Amino acid sequence: MPWLLLFAAIIAEVVATSMLKSTAGFTRLGPSVVVVLAYGAAFVLLSRCLKKMPVGVVYAVWSGVGVALITLVAWFFLDQPLDAPALAGLAPIVGGVVVINVFSKAAAE
């Protein structure tokens, strides 16, 4: 269950982050409400994960997967260019998350 909560926290954070630009500095009510609620949900879900999982693992997976997902969302939906150096930078982030989940005994705690 903590992994499901962590995945939900990541999705909520990606939704909030992807909407930040559309708030126009929090001057547009609709997008601003979505951002505040999604970040709130992300942190509540993240805190629930910490009841069962080590903080280092939770934060590493949350931030790593979040960076990769927001980059893909920005590329597909927000017209952000994604070139070879950006992909090369993302590869070790994703690789690190995989190593933690597959090989770390801390992730199994």
Side-chain angles (χ1 to χ4, degrees), residues 8-87:
I10 292 166
I11 297 302
E13 186 265 336
V14 168
V15 167
T17 301
S18 65
M19 294 289 294
L20 268 175
K21 187 175 182 178
S22 66
T23 69
F26 288 97
T27 60
R28 295 182 61 218
L29 182 61
S32 297
V33 169
V34 171
V35 167
V36 169
L37 291 176
Y39 275 133
F43 284 110
V44 167
L45 292 165
L46 191 65
S47 71
R48 304 241 174 159
C49 295
L50 295 173
K51 291 180 178 180
K52 302 277 185 182
M53 298 172 67
V55 68
V57 171
V58 169
Y59 192 74
V61 173
W62 184 60
S63 60
V65 173
V67 166
L69 283 180
I70 195 61
T71 301
L72 292 174
V73 166
W75 182 44
F76 281 115
F77 301 108
L78 304 176
D79 298 321
Q80 175 183 311
L82 189 58
D83 55 12
L87 290 171

